[in-house]
Amino acid sequence: MAVELTRYDTEMTQYGPDDKHRWNGEKATSDAGHDSIDTHVDNHFRSSKGHFSNTSVDSVMTIAPTPPPPRHAFPDGGLKAYLTVLGASFALFSGFGQMNAFGTFQTHYEQNQLAHLAPATISWIGSIQLWVFFVSGAPIGIAFDAYGPRILMIAGSICYILSLMLTSISTQYYQYILAQGVLFGLGVGLLFYPSLSSVSTYFFKYRATALGIAAAGSSAGGVMYPLMLEALFKRVGFGWAVRISGLVSAVGCGIALLTLTALTPRPGPKGQSEFSLRKTFKDSKFNFLIGGSGLVAFGLFIPLFYIDSYTTSLALPHAKLVLALMNLGGVVGRVVPAILSDRVGRFNILVPSALLSGVFTLALWIPARTLPLVIVYAVLYGGSSGAFISVITPCVAQISDVREIGRRIGLLYSVISFPALVCGPTGGALLVLDHGYTGMIIFSGTTVIAGSFAIFIAKLKIDSKVLAKV
């Protein structure tokens, strides 16, 4: 006679991709333990001449192997999943979309209320905005894993709308730093990270596609807000223009709050879901991904900050459309490469998107002196940089346990917050030092290209075959 143990049905989706061998080992151990129990019980019968007590069975069963943690089933579809993608898209449209429009504010400040300050000084507003947004990722990720998205996004909506109202009545440089820099960045972070992390809990096979559709909202906002703000600055003045943008954003935040949820995995055995920074930073794949992303962030946002002032300096007709067209390219760049990445590999899209962003900057922006050339660069760069921003999150999720997705995504963005903080002022300083844009453009392109090589190493750490689907 043999005692038949319960077989634990499990899927690889409950683990991170690096846990495949660990799960195989657990399964082998479980099978071996099962066989030993069978032998133990059979021997007990023989030694007891057929007399078998219930107490003996209970004592034998206590040595059953510890089951693997309960699975997290990714539905990869369904009403709640699709509504979450919709809500995330509106959240990013309202928050990150307006952050993409900072170039419009940069040019307006240079020509109006902050005209007495150098462009590099003004750019600190946008850089602090980016830094607070990025550095808030780690604590927001921890809070998301513990409490879910709802309370975070309510707080984010309040901070974000309040920051716009305060910006609309600001008159001094320090006021813009506090309102449009610190408070705005925090509000956008509280909307951004819970939104993308929530989408990740619903999708596995089509995760990059879902995240790409959600991230396209930020580029759509990046198209609308510059055009809307530029028109409103002329019609109703700065204060009411910013207030109206805040009211529009409030509608988007409201839709996000009504539709976005997270599919939270059941907790596993004690100690299974503990997050360890030491363990995380021992992961060489994650280290190269963070290092490469930091280099990319050093140069990636410079065109978004300065393309508007560049076209204005050339006195080109319809110059104000260029930033909107760059973000329009980002709409396509966030969706199409994301869909492709689910088929050909996410790192296989992330690496060339970063590389092409740097190449486009060096090859097309430097010689661009006419409106058609500037537009070609803006659209192509918007597409390639949008692809990078869209695919970086599913790449983090791909090498992470599902119970640590929020914290790992937040950790990556917190680390790259520091190069993002100084990229704008560095670009402005090079602009003054070089008495032109060429030095700044070279800096932007070369740092992004260098980052793409580091991310390529991360890809090889996952699979050493260059053409492998990773």
Side-chain angles (χ1 to χ4, degrees), residues 100-141:
N100 283 341
F102 181 76
T104 301
F105 285 97
Q106 173 85 21
T107 303
H108 184 83
Y109 291 152
E110 289 177 10
Q111 298 174 348
N112 295 277
Q113 55 263 59
L114 299 179
H116 60 288
L117 298 175
T121 303
I122 296 172
S123 71
W124 275 107
I125 300 170
S127 292
I128 290 174
Q129 186 183 95
L130 271 177
W131 179 75
V132 173
F133 162 71
F134 282 131
V135 81
S136 65
I140 291 173

Side-chain angles (χ1 to χ4, degrees), residues 17 96 202 262 301 334 339 346 352 361 396 437:
F96 203 77
Y202 280 102
F301 297 101
R334 279 165 167 79
I339 295 172
R346 290 145 194 173
T361 296
V396 177
Y437 288 83

Side-chain angles (χ1 to χ4, degrees), residues 306-332:
Y306 290 103
I307 192 67
D308 194 82
S309 64
Y310 175 79
T311 52
T312 301
S313 70
L314 295 177
L316 297 175
H318 309 295
K320 299 298 181 182
L321 293 174
V322 174
L323 180 60
L325 290 172
M326 182 176 283
N327 284 308
L328 181 61
V331 174
V332 178

Side-chain angles (χ1 to χ4, degrees), residues 98 105 108-109 112-113 161-171 176 180 228-248:
Q98 182 145 195
F105 285 97
H108 184 83
Y109 291 152
N112 295 277
Q113 55 263 59
I161 303 304
L162 178 61
S163 73
L164 292 173
M165 297 302 114
L166 292 175
T167 299
S168 72
I169 60 174
S170 297
T171 57
Y176 291 109
Q180 196 175 11
M228 182 184 76
L229 288 167
E230 189 62 36
L232 289 174
F233 285 158
K234 297 175 181 177
R235 289 175 177 267
V236 298
F238 178 83
W240 272 107
V242 177
R243 289 187 202 93
I244 292 171
S245 75
L247 294 175
V248 172

Side-chain angles (χ1 to χ4, degrees), residues 8-12 14-15 18-30 67-69:
Y8 292 93
D9 178 32
T10 187
E11 295 179 316
M12 276 306 300
Q14 71 181 338
Y15 294 108
D18 297 330
D19 293 332
K20 181 178 179 181
H21 298 300
R22 178 169 65 84
W23 160 235
N24 289 337
E26 286 176 356
K27 188 175 186 298
T29 303
S30 178

Side-chain angles (χ1 to χ4, degrees), residues 173-260:
Y173 178 65
Y174 78 90
Q175 295 171 341
Y176 291 109
I177 289 287
L178 294 175
Q180 196 175 11
V182 177
L183 190 58
F184 183 99
L186 178 61
V188 173
L190 286 164
L191 292 169
F192 179 89
Y193 298 108
S195 296
L196 295 188
S197 296
S198 295
V199 172
S200 295
T201 66
Y202 280 102
F203 293 89
F204 182 77
K205 183 178 179 181
Y206 301 111
R207 179 179 286 159
T209 299
L211 289 171
I213 294 171
S218 64
S219 288
V223 174
M224 187 202 75
Y225 281 108
L227 297 176
M228 182 184 76
L229 288 167
E230 189 62 36
L232 289 174
F233 285 158
K234 297 175 181 177
R235 289 175 177 267
V236 298
F238 178 83
W240 272 107
V242 177
R243 289 187 202 93
I244 292 171
S245 75
L247 294 175
V248 172
S249 299
V251 174
C253 292
I255 294 173
L257 288 172
L258 291 173
T259 57
L260 192 143

